[in-house]
Amino acid sequence: MCVTEKIKARSATIGGQSINTMQTKTFSILPVLFAMTVGAWMPSSASFAASHPAAKSAAAKSAAQKKPSANKKAVAAANALPPLAAQTALADNPPALPAKAWLLMDFDSGEVLASANADEALPPASLTKMMTSYLVEQALGSGKLKPTDLVSVSQNAWCRGSGTESCMYLPLNSQATVIDILRGIIIQSGNDASKAIAEHMAGSEEGFAKLMNAEAQRLGMTHTHFVNPTGLPDPAHKSSARDLAILARAIIRDSANYYALYAERDFKYNGIKQGNRNALLYTDPSVDGLKTGHTQEAGYCLVTSSKRNDMRLISVILNTHSAQARADQTRTLLGWGFSSFEKASPIQPNTTVAQAKLSFGKADTVGAGLGAPWLLTVPRGQQVQTQVALNPGLEAPVAKGTVIGKVVATANGKPMGEAPLVAQADVERAGLLLRAWQHLTQLFGK
């Protein structure tokens, strides 16, 4: 099916490079419904399919998916899991979602607002590619890669056009720029793009998987093990809802120069235009990423980020029964989150909240306060309480800004987050005679 859209090309700068982006101005309702129902747009250029065998199967698959039969819908509904109730929730009335695992995280604090089976290691399918793209983005940020660097397409990376996997359709033995490869990973979910960049950066998929696992460990993804850069099935290839939310948060936080790619709705390469499989990008203007995934083993998966006013939430749906279901469940989860929580600042910066006792200093105490603004996501209408915990045994000298404790926030008895407390002033170490006197007073308890 040919998607009817009016597109305007514009030039954007990403990572210091001038890059052509495609901005959708108007589009018919049919592609939106198609994306929501099928969850993917496959290449549809008849002229390309006539001369490229790799695209023929994709075009045939797209044609077969144009009008899913009522029988297929009935089968998908029959395969739906029973609703999975929240096991943790920081506000009342969280939804129950028919998936194997799900989670909602506050981006600013990293707090999990609600979840079910958050730490169960499950097949992540193409959600794996978030780590692949993250490593590329970090290499671009550090200068190890440049957007214009050329990546070669080996026999192993080349997509043979079987119609059973997602492809960017990079020609065999061709070369593509790193920025095009990155788009192919994020927007088109290209297995060929993922394999090619893995070989470019680490020599092999296996070598790249070692980089992936090292980065997962650094980020605190404790229930994750990667075997490949694509998410193609392997018994040892696993991740959890919590870990994938941690990874999504890292992408948004650390890849600011490239995060806009996750919101792009389509990308044309090698004569083939493919749409982003994240149906929410077409229906919810607050959604700006991140990634879909699907294999028979993993079911339908979706990691989403949505920002409304000053609140950004990250949702994860793992192993539900259809592309429509993962989109609907994400809408439900985000809707509950935005309606149930609000932002609050329990303590203002540059405010002294406690006096910490010091030994062997020219002053006996030092003020403790926040070193940076502290913005929490808390249940609507609930009062926030704070409790200060100062480090014991503090000794001078202490420099201004040194962490000397923490403050913990709770609402309705549930922890909502914490922030470090820092020294509000420099305190020099006392002279020898004063320190001797302080030793004596400590010894005799005076």
Side-chain angles (χ1 to χ4, degrees):
M1 177 175 62
C2 180
V3 179
T4 304
E5 296 180 338
K6 296 180 182 178
I7 304 293
K8 180 176 75 175
R10 62 181 175 87
S11 177
T13 300
I14 295 182
Q17 299 292 321
S18 179
I19 301 164
N20 289 328
T21 62
M22 303 301 290
Q23 183 177 13
T24 302
K25 296 300 290 181
T26 63
F27 53 89
S28 69
I29 191 65
L30 182 57
V32 177
L33 296 176
F34 181 68
M36 292 173 60
T37 304
V38 179
W41 286 346
M42 298 302 290
S44 58
S45 171
S47 60
F48 184 88
S51 58
H52 292 72
K56 286 182 179 179
S57 59
K61 182 179 179 182
S62 178
Q65 290 178 330
K66 284 182 181 178
K67 296 181 180 179
S69 66
N71 182 56
K72 288 184 178 180
K73 291 182 179 179
V75 170
N79 291 334
L81 295 167
L84 181 62
Q87 295 165 345
T88 63
L90 299 184
D92 295 333
N93 303 314
L97 304 174
K100 282 194 175 179
W102 58 266
L103 176 143
L104 186 67
M105 175 183 283
D106 172 49
F107 167 75
D108 290 323
S109 66
E111 289 292 318
V112 174
L113 306 181
S115 67
N117 290 348
D119 295 316
E120 182 177 354
L122 295 168
S126 285
L127 301 183
T128 298
K129 295 183 178 98
M130 289 197 302
M131 178 59 84
T132 304
S133 60
Y134 180 66
L135 289 177
V136 175
E137 292 152 8
Q138 295 311 292
L140 285 167
S142 68
K144 292 180 180 178
L145 290 177
K146 295 181 176 61
T148 55
D149 286 349
L150 294 176
V151 179
S152 298
V153 183
S154 69
Q155 182 80 23
N156 175 66
W158 178 54
C159 182
R160 290 156 180 79
S162 65
T164 59
E165 61 176 324
S166 301
C167 301
M168 183 179 169
Y169 294 104
L170 293 160
L172 178 62
N173 298 325
S174 67
Q175 290 184 315
T177 63
V178 168
I179 194 65
D180 279 347
I181 289 284
L182 184 58
R183 273 199 171 96
I185 295 169
I186 294 170
I187 303 167
Q188 298 176 332
S189 197
N191 290 339
D192 48 357
S194 301
K195 292 177 183 178
I197 197 67
E199 292 173 349
H200 183 80
M201 292 179 66
S204 66
E205 291 187 70
E206 294 77 13
F208 192 75
K210 292 180 181 178
L211 299 180
M212 297 171 78
N213 288 320
E215 190 64 22
Q217 184 176 10
R218 186 187 74 83
L219 291 174
M221 299 168 65
T222 57
H223 295 84
T224 294
H225 180 73
F226 294 118
V227 176
N228 57 60
T230 60
L232 289 171
D234 186 289
H237 193 95
K238 303 283 186 180
S239 191
S240 69
R242 189 189 308 274
D243 286 358
L244 290 165
I246 290 171
L247 176 56
R249 185 173 182 242
I251 290 172
I252 300 166
R253 181 189 64 223
D254 301 337
S255 300
N257 289 337
Y258 299 96
Y259 182 62
L261 297 179
Y262 291 84
E264 291 191 9
R265 295 177 178 176
D266 54 59
F267 177 49
K268 185 175 182 180
Y269 187 83
N270 195 23
I272 304 176
K273 179 180 176 181
Q274 297 187 69
N276 197 312
R277 292 164 171 83
N278 185 352
L280 296 178
L281 291 175
Y282 306 89
T283 60
D284 186 342
S286 73
V287 170
D288 56 12
L290 290 154
K291 191 72 188 72
T292 62
H294 172 248
T295 63
Q296 184 175 358
E297 182 184 20
Y300 289 85
C301 308
L302 179 58
V303 175
T304 302
S305 176
S306 174
K307 185 176 183 180
R308 303 179 189 177
N309 298 321
D310 58 354
M311 188 187 305
R312 181 183 287 279
L313 301 180
I314 297 168
S315 66
V316 181
I317 303 292
L318 296 185
N319 200 323
T320 190
H321 61 282
S322 70
Q324 182 71 53
R326 71 187 177 193
D328 289 343
Q329 291 170 31
T330 299
R331 289 189 191 94
T332 297
L333 191 53
L334 290 173
W336 174 81
F338 284 115
S339 64
S340 299
F341 294 88
E342 62 184 353
K343 287 295 184 181
S345 298
I347 300 173
Q348 296 302 315
N350 303 317
T351 301
T352 299
V353 298
Q355 291 290 331
K357 291 183 178 181
L358 280 178
S359 297
F360 315 127
K362 290 185 176 181
D364 295 331
T365 63
V366 62
L370 295 177
W374 188 26
L375 197 62
L376 285 175
T377 300
V378 300
R380 288 189 182 276
Q382 289 193 11
Q383 294 296 317
V384 179
Q385 293 81 37
T386 58
Q387 184 174 4
V388 171
L390 298 173
N391 297 344
L394 290 173
E395 295 184 4
V398 171
K400 182 179 180 179
T402 301
V403 175
I404 57 175
K406 66 179 180 179
V407 57
V408 179
T410 60
N412 200 24
K414 297 178 181 178
M416 302 305 302
E418 62 181 53
L421 292 175
V422 301
Q424 300 293 288
D426 295 322
V427 178
E428 296 180 5
R429 193 167 177 83
L432 181 61
L433 291 177
L434 180 56
R435 292 204 310 273
W437 173 253
Q438 290 176 342
H439 273 294
L440 288 173
T441 57
Q442 287 183 1
L443 181 64
F444 292 103
K446 295 182 180 178

